[in-house]
Amino acid sequence: MPDTLKRNVALKISILARQMRKHFDEAIAELGVTRSQWTVIAVVSSRPGATQRVIAEALEISEASAGRLVDRLIAEGLVERKPKEDDRRAHAVFLTDKGTQLTGKLGAAATVSEDATFAGIGDDELEQMNALLDRIQGNLGSPQF
């Protein structure tokens, strides 16, 4: 029974993650931003000056894919590259004013989505869930956030 329970929980976590992403994607559809784009924007927002390598690692994609996404966001005026002072080969990626404004809209949509997702779940339960998820993340060797 414990193996079945573990598998059931693992499957639910996977399905819930996919459902949450889909719900958020639907909530921001009117903003004209794809999932690939909003994930890059989220990384750059939380790590201003991130390199393409840092972005790629955070999103578990290739550096080339991260570069193409950054190029697209630059073309849309949402991010900009600046040379890194400590490494002439690397460029730091920052949000533009337009990107910062979009981040505010994404944040508001995330709040609405999170409120719907966690409706009826109290703060104590969320704390418990967060602690359990941190332990699972630690078991997998992932950095906690």
Side-chain angles (χ1 to χ4, degrees):
M1 178 69 171
D3 288 341
T4 304
L5 182 58
K6 289 175 188 173
R7 183 141 321 134
N8 189 31
V9 170
L11 185 59
K12 280 184 182 178
I13 289 171
S14 178
I15 291 169
L16 283 169
R18 189 172 36 245
Q19 288 176 325
M20 289 172 67
R21 284 190 302 270
K22 183 176 183 255
H23 189 264
F24 184 70
D25 287 346
E26 291 168 356
I28 63 161
E30 67 186 32
L31 298 177
V33 182
T34 67
R35 178 179 300 164
S36 298
Q37 291 171 318
W38 70 252
T39 55
V40 171
I41 290 167
V43 171
V44 175
S45 176
S46 66
R47 301 174 193 169
T51 61
Q52 284 179 198
R53 174 173 288 153
V54 168
I55 294 167
E57 288 171 358
L59 300 178
E60 297 180 339
I61 60 175
S62 70
E63 285 187 53
S65 294
R68 285 189 295 275
L69 287 167
V70 169
D71 288 343
R72 209 172 321 149
L73 292 171
I74 288 171
E76 293 181 26
L78 297 170
V79 299
E80 62 185 344
R81 279 191 192 101
K82 295 180 182 178
K84 280 189 66 81
E85 294 177 13
D86 59 343
D87 184 351
R88 286 184 288 170
R89 297 167 297 163
H91 288 85
V93 181
F94 296 90
L95 292 175
T96 62
D97 289 341
K98 183 178 175 182
T100 300
Q101 289 173 1
L102 179 61
T103 301
K105 293 175 184 175
L106 291 170
T111 298
V112 170
S113 184
E114 291 158 358
D115 286 348
T117 299
F118 298 109
I121 299 173
D123 287 346
D124 289 345
E125 292 170 303
L126 284 173
E127 289 287 342
Q128 236 179 343
M129 186 185 307
N130 195 49
L132 290 170
L133 292 171
D134 280 348
R135 285 173 49 197
I136 293 168
Q137 203 169 16
N139 290 344
L140 296 173
S142 301
Q144 296 178 4
F145 48 91

